[in-house]
Amino acid sequence: MNCYLCESDAEQRETTQSGQVIACRDCGEYLISDVVLRQLESRPLDFSKMRDDLHRQRQYNATSMAQINSETAIWA
Ligand SMILES: [Zn+2]
């Protein structure tokens, strides 16, 4: 599969109740929610801002996975 952010080759680690865990060589590991996945069909994420935010989330809270959900999604 391809990464939802940078569209390079990525791995889908698992599917959870709320979304998918994606591991991308460039963007790292992140959980993207089903709600955002549905919205992605009609509008794109702001790739660079979203990637910065994932980075911020990891620095802020190293123990939980970076998330792209309705609260954190940054749309283009
Ligand atoms: Zn990526």
Side-chain angles (χ1 to χ4, degrees):
M1 67 158 295
N2 294 328
C3 174
Y4 292 109
L5 288 179
C6 67
E7 291 181 354
S8 67
D9 202 31
E11 196 184 321
Q12 188 184 320
R13 285 275 160 81
E14 57 182 307
T15 304
T16 72
Q17 280 181 332
S18 53
Q20 298 176 11
V21 176
I22 306 300
C24 169
R25 210 177 303 146
D26 287 334
C27 310
E29 241 183 25
Y30 60 89
L31 174 65
I32 186 164
S33 78
D34 286 334
V35 177
V36 171
L37 284 173
R38 266 196 302 276
Q39 291 176 319
L40 258 186
E41 290 167 17
S42 54
R43 63 204 286 216
L45 287 164
D46 187 317
F47 164 57
S48 57
K49 283 190 191 158
M50 196 65 246
R51 199 148 79 161
D52 285 350
D53 189 71
L54 290 179
H55 194 64
R56 235 188 334 265
Q57 289 185 40
R58 289 187 190 103
Q59 285 182 326
Y60 186 72
N61 189 349
T63 53
S64 71
M65 191 173 296
Q67 308 223 1
I68 302 176
N69 56 37
S70 306
E71 279 172 31
T72 62
I74 301 168
W75 301 102

Coordinates of all heavy atoms in Angstrom, one line a residue:
M1 N 0.8 -1.2 0.0 CA 0.0 0.0 0.0 C 0.9 1.2 0.0 O 2.1 1.2 0.2 CB -0.9 0.0 1.2 CG -0.1 0.2 2.5 SD -1.1 0.8 3.9 CE -1.5 2.4 3.2
N2 N 0.2 2.4 -0.2 CA 1.0 3.6 -0.2 C 0.6 4.5 1.1 O -0.5 4.4 1.5 CB 0.7 4.5 -1.4 CG 1.3 3.8 -2.7 OD1 2.3 3.1 -2.6 ND2 0.6 3.9 -3.8
C3 N 1.6 5.2 1.5 CA 1.3 6.1 2.7 C 0.3 7.1 2.3 O 0.3 7.7 1.2 CB 2.7 6.8 3.0 SG 2.5 8.1 4.3
Y4 N -0.6 7.4 3.3 CA -1.7 8.4 3.0 C -1.2 9.8 2.9 O -1.9 10.7 2.4 CB -2.8 8.3 4.1 CG -3.5 7.0 4.0 CD1 -3.4 6.0 5.0 CD2 -4.4 6.7 2.9 CE1 -4.1 4.8 4.9 CE2 -5.1 5.5 2.9 CZ -4.9 4.6 3.9 OH -5.6 3.4 3.8
L5 N 0.0 10.0 3.5 CA 0.5 11.4 3.4 C 1.5 11.6 2.3 O 1.2 12.5 1.5 CB 1.3 11.6 4.7 CG 0.5 11.8 6.0 CD1 1.4 12.0 7.2 CD2 -0.5 13.0 5.8
C6 N 2.5 10.8 2.1 CA 3.5 11.1 1.1 C 3.4 10.2 -0.1 O 4.1 10.4 -1.1 CB 4.9 11.0 1.7 SG 5.3 9.3 2.2
E7 N 2.5 9.2 0.0 CA 2.2 8.3 -1.1 C 3.4 7.4 -1.5 O 3.4 6.8 -2.6 CB 1.6 9.0 -2.3 CG 0.3 9.6 -2.0 CD -0.4 10.3 -3.2 OE1 0.3 10.5 -4.2 OE2 -1.6 10.7 -3.0
S8 N 4.4 7.4 -0.7 CA 5.5 6.4 -1.0 C 5.1 5.1 -0.3 O 4.1 5.0 0.4 CB 6.8 6.9 -0.5 OG 6.9 7.0 0.9
D9 N 5.9 4.1 -0.6 CA 5.6 2.7 -0.2 C 5.6 2.6 1.3 O 6.5 3.1 2.0 CB 6.7 1.8 -0.7 CG 6.3 0.4 -0.8 OD1 5.1 0.2 -1.0 OD2 7.1 -0.5 -0.6
A10 N 4.5 2.1 1.9 CA 4.3 2.0 3.3 C 3.7 0.7 3.7 O 3.2 -0.1 2.8 CB 3.4 3.2 3.8
E11 N 3.7 0.4 5.0 CA 3.2 -0.9 5.4 C 1.9 -0.6 6.3 O 2.0 0.3 7.2 CB 4.3 -1.5 6.3 CG 4.1 -3.0 6.5 CD 5.2 -3.5 7.4 OE1 6.3 -3.1 7.2 OE2 4.9 -4.3 8.3
Q12 N 0.9 -1.4 6.1 CA -0.2 -1.3 7.0 C 0.0 -2.3 8.2 O -0.1 -3.5 7.9 CB -1.5 -1.6 6.3 CG -2.7 -1.3 7.2 CD -4.0 -1.7 6.5 OE1 -4.2 -1.5 5.3 NE2 -5.0 -2.2 7.2
R13 N 0.3 -1.8 9.3 CA 0.7 -2.7 10.5 C -0.6 -3.4 11.0 O -0.5 -4.6 11.3 CB 1.3 -1.9 11.6 CG 2.7 -1.4 11.3 CD 3.7 -2.5 11.7 NE 5.0 -2.4 11.0 CZ 5.9 -1.6 11.4 NH1 5.8 -0.8 12.4 NH2 7.0 -1.5 10.7
E14 N -1.6 -2.7 11.3 CA -2.8 -3.3 11.8 C -4.0 -2.4 11.6 O -3.9 -1.2 11.3 CB -2.6 -3.6 13.3 CG -2.3 -2.3 14.1 CD -2.1 -2.6 15.6 OE1 -3.0 -3.3 16.2 OE2 -1.1 -2.3 16.2
T15 N -5.2 -3.1 11.7 CA -6.4 -2.3 11.6 C -7.0 -2.4 13.0 O -7.2 -3.4 13.6 CB -7.4 -3.0 10.6 OG1 -6.7 -3.1 9.4 CG2 -8.6 -2.2 10.4
T16 N -7.4 -1.2 13.6 CA -7.9 -1.2 14.9 C -9.4 -0.8 14.8 O -9.9 -0.6 13.7 CB -7.3 -0.1 15.8 OG1 -7.6 1.2 15.3 CG2 -5.7 -0.2 15.7
Q17 N -10.1 -0.7 15.9 CA -11.5 -0.3 15.9 C -11.7 1.0 15.3 O -12.7 1.3 14.7 CB -12.0 -0.3 17.3 CG -12.4 -1.7 17.9 CD -12.9 -1.6 19.3 OE1 -12.6 -0.7 20.0 NE2 -13.8 -2.5 19.7
S18 N -10.7 1.9 15.5 CA -10.9 3.3 15.1 C -10.2 3.7 13.8 O -10.4 4.7 13.3 CB -10.5 4.2 16.2 OG -9.2 3.9 16.6
G19 N -9.3 2.8 13.3 CA -8.6 3.2 12.1 C -7.5 2.2 11.7 O -7.5 1.0 12.1
Q20 N -6.5 2.7 11.0 CA -5.4 1.9 10.6 C -4.1 2.4 11.1 O -3.9 3.6 11.1 CB -5.3 1.9 9.0 CG -6.6 1.3 8.4 CD -6.5 1.4 6.8 OE1 -5.4 1.8 6.3 NE2 -7.6 1.2 6.2
V21 N -3.2 1.5 11.4 CA -1.8 1.9 11.8 C -0.9 1.7 10.6 O -0.8 0.6 10.0 CB -1.3 1.0 12.9 CG1 0.2 1.4 13.3 CG2 -2.2 1.2 14.2
I22 N -0.3 2.8 10.2 CA 0.5 2.8 9.0 C 2.0 3.1 9.4 O 2.2 3.9 10.2 CB 0.1 4.0 8.0 CG1 -1.4 3.9 7.7 CG2 0.9 4.0 6.7 CD1 -1.8 2.6 7.0
A23 N 2.9 2.3 8.8 CA 4.3 2.6 9.0 C 4.9 3.0 7.7 O 5.0 2.2 6.8 CB 5.0 1.3 9.6
C24 N 5.4 4.2 7.7 CA 6.0 4.8 6.5 C 7.5 5.1 6.8 O 7.8 5.6 7.9 CB 5.3 6.0 6.0 SG 6.1 6.9 4.7
R25 N 8.4 4.8 5.9 CA 9.8 5.1 6.1 C 10.0 6.6 6.3 O 10.9 7.0 7.1 CB 10.6 4.6 4.9 CG 12.0 4.2 5.2 CD 12.7 3.6 4.0 NE 11.9 2.5 3.4 CZ 11.9 2.3 2.1 NH1 12.5 3.1 1.2 NH2 11.2 1.3 1.6
D26 N 9.3 7.4 5.6 CA 9.4 8.9 5.7 C 8.7 9.5 6.8 O 9.2 10.3 7.6 CB 9.1 9.5 4.4 CG 10.1 9.3 3.3 OD1 11.2 9.1 3.7 OD2 9.7 9.3 2.1
C27 N 7.4 9.1 7.0 CA 6.5 9.7 7.9 C 6.5 9.0 9.3 O 5.9 9.6 10.3 CB 5.1 9.8 7.4 SG 5.0 10.4 5.7
G28 N 7.0 7.9 9.4 CA 7.0 7.1 10.6 C 5.7 6.4 10.8 O 4.9 6.2 9.9
E29 N 5.4 6.0 12.1 CA 4.2 5.2 12.4 C 3.1 6.2 12.8 O 3.3 7.1 13.6 CB 4.5 4.2 13.5 CG 4.3 2.8 13.0 CD 4.5 1.8 14.2 OE1 4.4 2.2 15.4 OE2 4.8 0.7 13.9
Y30 N 1.9 6.0 12.3 CA 0.8 6.8 12.7 C -0.5 6.1 12.6 O -0.6 5.1 11.8 CB 0.8 8.1 11.9 CG 0.6 7.9 10.4 CD1 -0.7 7.9 9.8 CD2 1.7 7.8 9.6 CE1 -0.9 7.7 8.5 CE2 1.5 7.7 8.2 CZ 0.3 7.6 7.7 OH 0.1 7.4 6.3
L31 N -1.5 6.5 13.4 CA -2.8 5.9 13.4 C -3.7 6.9 12.7 O -3.8 8.0 13.1 CB -3.3 5.6 14.8 CG -4.7 5.2 15.0 CD1 -4.9 3.8 14.4 CD2 -5.1 5.1 16.5
I32 N -4.3 6.4 11.6 CA -5.2 7.3 10.9 C -6.6 6.8 11.1 O -6.9 5.6 10.9 CB -4.8 7.4 9.4 CG1 -5.7 8.5 8.7 CG2 -4.8 6.1 8.7 CD1 -5.1 8.9 7.3
S33 N -7.6 7.6 11.5 CA -8.9 7.2 11.8 C -9.8 6.9 10.6 O -9.6 7.5 9.5 CB -9.6 8.2 12.8 OG -10.1 9.3 12.0
D34 N -10.8 6.0 10.8 CA -11.7 5.7 9.7 C -12.4 7.0 9.2 O -12.7 7.1 8.0 CB -12.7 4.7 10.2 CG -12.1 3.3 10.3 OD1 -11.1 3.0 9.6 OD2 -12.6 2.5 11.1
V35 N -12.7 7.9 10.1 CA -13.4 9.1 9.7 C -12.6 9.9 8.8 O -13.1 10.3 7.7 CB -13.8 9.9 11.0 CG1 -14.4 11.2 10.6 CG2 -14.7 9.1 11.9
V36 N -11.3 10.1 9.1 CA -10.4 10.8 8.3 C -10.2 10.1 6.9 O -10.2 10.7 5.9 CB -9.1 11.1 9.0 CG1 -8.1 11.7 8.0 CG2 -9.3 12.0 10.2
L37 N -10.1 8.8 7.0 CA -9.9 8.0 5.7 C -11.1 8.2 4.8 O -10.9 8.4 3.6 CB -9.8 6.5 6.1 CG -8.5 6.1 6.6 CD1 -8.5 4.6 7.1 CD2 -7.4 6.3 5.6
R38 N -12.3 8.3 5.4 CA -13.5 8.6 4.5 C -13.5 10.0 3.9 O -13.8 10.2 2.8 CB -14.8 8.4 5.4 CG -15.4 7.0 5.2 CD -16.8 7.0 5.7 NE -17.0 7.4 7.1 CZ -16.8 6.6 8.2 NH1 -16.4 5.4 8.0 NH2 -16.9 7.1 9.4
Q39 N -13.0 10.9 4.8 CA -13.0 12.3 4.3 C -11.9 12.5 3.3 O -12.0 13.4 2.4 CB -12.7 13.3 5.5 CG -13.9 13.3 6.4 CD -13.7 14.2 7.6 OE1 -12.6 14.1 8.2 NE2 -14.6 15.0 8.0
L40 N -10.8 11.7 3.4 CA -9.7 11.8 2.4 C -10.2 11.5 1.0 O -9.5 11.9 0.0 CB -8.7 10.7 2.8 CG -7.4 11.2 3.5 CD1 -6.5 10.0 3.6 CD2 -6.7 12.3 2.8
E41 N -11.3 10.8 0.8 CA -11.8 10.6 -0.5 C -12.2 11.8 -1.2 O -12.2 11.9 -2.5 CB -12.9 9.6 -0.5 CG -12.5 8.2 -0.1 CD -13.6 7.3 0.3 OE1 -14.8 7.6 -0.1 OE2 -13.4 6.2 0.9
S42 N -12.6 12.8 -0.5 CA -13.1 14.1 -1.1 C -12.2 15.3 -0.9 O -12.4 16.3 -1.5 CB -14.5 14.4 -0.6 OG -14.5 14.4 0.8
R43 N -11.2 15.2 0.1 CA -10.3 16.3 0.3 C -9.0 15.9 0.7 O -8.9 14.9 1.5 CB -10.9 17.3 1.3 CG -11.1 16.7 2.7 CD -12.2 17.4 3.5 NE -11.8 18.7 3.9 CZ -12.2 19.2 5.1 NH1 -12.9 18.5 5.9 NH2 -11.8 20.4 5.5
P44 N -7.9 16.5 0.3 CA -6.6 16.1 0.7 C -6.1 16.7 2.0 O -6.5 17.8 2.4 CB -5.7 16.6 -0.5 CG -6.4 17.8 -1.0 CD -7.9 17.6 -0.7
L45 N -5.2 16.0 2.7 CA -4.5 16.5 3.8 C -3.4 17.5 3.4 O -2.9 17.3 2.3 CB -3.9 15.4 4.7 CG -4.9 14.5 5.5 CD1 -4.2 13.2 5.9 CD2 -5.5 15.3 6.7
D46 N -3.1 18.4 4.3 CA -1.9 19.2 4.0 C -0.7 18.4 4.5 O -0.4 18.3 5.7 CB -2.0 20.5 4.8 CG -0.9 21.5 4.5 OD1 0.3 21.1 4.3 OD2 -1.2 22.7 4.3
F47 N 0.0 17.8 3.5 CA 1.0 16.8 3.8 C 2.1 17.4 4.7 O 2.4 16.8 5.7 CB 1.6 16.4 2.4 CG 2.9 15.6 2.6 CD1 3.0 14.5 3.4 CD2 4.0 16.1 1.9 CE1 4.2 13.9 3.5 CE2 5.2 15.4 2.0 CZ 5.3 14.3 2.8
S48 N 2.7 18.5 4.4 CA 3.8 18.9 5.2 C 3.4 19.4 6.6 O 4.1 19.1 7.5 CB 4.6 20.0 4.4 OG 3.8 21.1 4.2
K49 N 2.3 20.1 6.7 CA 1.8 20.5 8.0 C 1.5 19.3 8.8 O 1.7 19.2 10.0 CB 0.6 21.4 7.9 CG 1.0 22.8 7.5 CD -0.2 23.8 7.7 CE 0.1 25.1 7.0 NZ -1.1 25.8 6.7
M50 N 0.8 18.3 8.2 CA 0.4 17.1 8.9 C 1.6 16.3 9.4 O 1.6 15.8 10.5 CB -0.4 16.3 7.9 CG -1.3 15.2 8.6 SD -2.6 15.8 9.7 CE -2.0 15.3 11.3
R51 N 2.6 16.3 8.6 CA 3.8 15.6 9.0 C 4.5 16.3 10.1 O 5.0 15.6 11.1 CB 4.8 15.4 7.8 CG 5.8 14.3 8.0 CD 6.2 13.6 6.8 NE 7.1 14.3 6.0 CZ 7.9 13.8 5.1 NH1 7.8 12.6 4.8 NH2 8.7 14.6 4.4
D52 N 4.6 17.6 10.1 CA 5.1 18.4 11.2 C 4.3 18.1 12.5 O 4.9 18.0 13.6 CB 5.1 19.9 10.9 CG 6.1 20.3 9.9 OD1 7.0 19.5 9.6 OD2 6.1 21.4 9.5
D53 N 3.0 18.0 12.3 CA 2.2 17.8 13.5 C 2.4 16.4 14.1 O 2.5 16.2 15.3 CB 0.7 18.0 13.2 CG -0.1 18.0 14.4 OD1 0.0 19.0 15.2 OD2 -0.8 17.0 14.7
L54 N 2.6 15.4 13.3 CA 2.9 14.1 13.8 C 4.2 14.1 14.5 O 4.3 13.5 15.6 CB 3.0 13.1 12.6 CG 1.7 12.7 11.8 CD1 2.0 11.8 10.7 CD2 0.7 12.2 12.7
H55 N 5.1 14.8 14.0 CA 6.4 15.0 14.7 C 6.2 15.6 16.1 O 6.8 15.2 17.1 CB 7.3 15.8 13.8 CG 8.8 15.8 14.2 ND1 9.5 14.6 14.2 CD2 9.6 16.7 14.7 CE1 10.7 14.9 14.6 NE2 10.8 16.1 14.9
R56 N 5.4 16.7 16.1 CA 5.1 17.3 17.4 C 4.5 16.4 18.4 O 4.8 16.4 19.5 CB 4.2 18.6 17.1 CG 4.8 19.8 17.6 CD 3.8 21.0 17.6 NE 2.8 21.0 16.6 CZ 2.9 21.5 15.3 NH1 4.0 22.2 15.0 NH2 1.9 21.4 14.5
Q57 N 3.5 15.6 17.9 CA 2.8 14.7 18.8 C 3.8 13.7 19.4 O 3.7 13.4 20.6 CB 1.7 13.9 18.0 CG 0.5 14.8 17.6 CD -0.5 13.9 16.9 OE1 -0.8 12.8 17.4 NE2 -1.2 14.4 15.9
R58 N 4.7 13.2 18.6 CA 5.7 12.3 19.1 C 6.6 12.9 20.1 O 7.0 12.2 21.1 CB 6.6 11.7 18.0 CG 5.8 10.8 17.0 CD 6.7 10.1 16.0 NE 5.9 9.4 15.0 CZ 5.7 9.9 13.8 NH1 6.2 11.0 13.4 NH2 4.9 9.2 13.0
Q59 N 6.9 14.2 20.0 CA 7.8 14.8 20.9 C 7.0 15.1 22.2 O 7.6 15.0 23.3 CB 8.3 16.1 20.4 CG 9.4 15.9 19.3 CD 10.0 17.2 18.8 OE1 9.2 18.2 18.7 NE2 11.2 17.3 18.5
Y60 N 5.8 15.5 22.1 CA 4.9 15.8 23.2 C 4.6 14.6 24.0 O 4.5 14.7 25.2 CB 3.7 16.5 22.7 CG 2.8 17.1 23.7 CD1 3.1 18.2 24.4 CD2 1.6 16.5 24.0 CE1 2.3 18.7 25.4 CE2 0.7 17.0 24.9 CZ 1.1 18.1 25.6 OH 0.3 18.6 26.6
N61 N 4.3 13.5 23.4 CA 3.9 12.3 24.1 C 4.5 11.1 23.4 O 4.0 10.5 22.5 CB 2.4 12.2 24.1 CG 1.9 11.1 25.0 OD1 2.7 10.3 25.5 ND2 0.6 11.1 25.2
A62 N 5.7 10.7 23.9 CA 6.5 9.7 23.2 C 5.8 8.3 23.4 O 6.2 7.4 22.7 CB 7.9 9.7 23.8
T63 N 4.9 8.2 24.4 CA 4.4 6.8 24.7 C 3.2 6.5 23.8 O 2.9 5.3 23.7 CB 4.0 6.7 26.2 OG1 3.1 7.8 26.5 CG2 5.2 6.8 27.1
S64 N 2.5 7.4 23.3 CA 1.4 7.1 22.4 C 1.7 7.4 21.0 O 2.5 8.2 20.6 CB 0.1 7.8 22.9 OG 0.2 9.2 22.6
M65 N 1.0 6.6 20.1 CA 1.3 6.8 18.7 C 0.7 8.1 18.1 O -0.3 8.5 18.6 CB 0.6 5.6 18.0 CG 1.0 5.4 16.6 SD 0.4 3.9 15.9 CE 1.2 2.7 16.9
A66 N 1.4 8.6 17.2 CA 0.9 9.9 16.6 C -0.4 9.5 15.8 O -0.5 8.5 15.2 CB 2.0 10.4 15.6
Q67 N -1.3 10.5 15.9 CA -2.7 10.2 15.4 C -3.1 11.2 14.4 O -2.9 12.4 14.5 CB -3.7 10.2 16.5 CG -3.3 9.3 17.7 CD -4.5 8.6 18.2 OE1 -5.6 8.7 17.7 NE2 -4.3 7.8 19.2
I68 N -3.8 10.7 13.3 CA -4.5 11.6 12.4 C -6.0 11.3 12.6 O -6.5 10.3 12.2 CB -4.1 11.4 11.0 CG1 -2.6 11.6 10.8 CG2 -4.8 12.4 10.0 CD1 -2.1 11.3 9.4
N69 N -6.7 12.2 13.4 CA -8.1 11.9 13.6 C -8.8 13.3 13.4 O -8.2 14.3 12.9 CB -8.3 11.4 15.0 CG -7.7 12.3 16.1 OD1 -7.7 13.5 16.0 ND2 -7.2 11.6 17.1
S70 N -10.1 13.3 13.7 CA -10.9 14.5 13.4 C -10.3 15.7 14.1 O -10.5 16.8 13.6 CB -12.3 14.3 13.8 OG -12.8 13.1 13.2
E71 N -9.7 15.5 15.2 CA -9.1 16.7 16.0 C -7.8 17.1 15.4 O -7.5 18.3 15.5 CB -9.0 16.3 17.4 CG -10.3 16.4 18.2 CD -10.2 15.9 19.6 OE1 -9.1 15.9 20.2 OE2 -11.2 15.3 20.1
T72 N -7.0 16.2 15.0 CA -5.6 16.6 14.6 C -5.4 16.8 13.1 O -4.4 17.3 12.6 CB -4.6 15.5 15.0 OG1 -4.9 14.3 14.4 CG2 -4.6 15.3 16.5
A73 N -6.4 16.3 12.3 CA -6.2 16.4 10.8 C -6.1 17.9 10.4 O -6.8 18.7 10.9 CB -7.4 15.8 10.1
I74 N -5.1 18.1 9.5 CA -4.9 19.4 8.9 C -5.2 19.3 7.4 O -4.4 18.6 6.7 CB -3.5 19.9 9.2 CG1 -3.2 19.9 10.7 CG2 -3.2 21.3 8.5 CD1 -1.7 20.1 11.0
W75 N -6.3 19.9 7.0 CA -6.7 19.8 5.6 C -6.0 20.8 4.7 O -5.8 22.0 5.2 CB -8.2 19.8 5.5 CG -8.9 18.8 6.3 CD1 -9.5 18.9 7.5 CD2 -9.0 17.4 6.0 NE1 -9.9 17.7 7.9 CE2 -9.7 16.7 7.0 CE3 -8.6 16.6 4.9 CZ2 -9.9 15.4 7.0 CZ3 -8.8 15.2 4.8 CH2 -9.5 14.6 5.9
A76 N -5.8 20.5 3.5 CA -5.1 21.4 2.6 C -6.1 22.6 2.2 O -7.3 22.3 2.2 CB -4.6 20.7 1.3
Ligands
ZN1 ZN 4.7 8.7 4.3

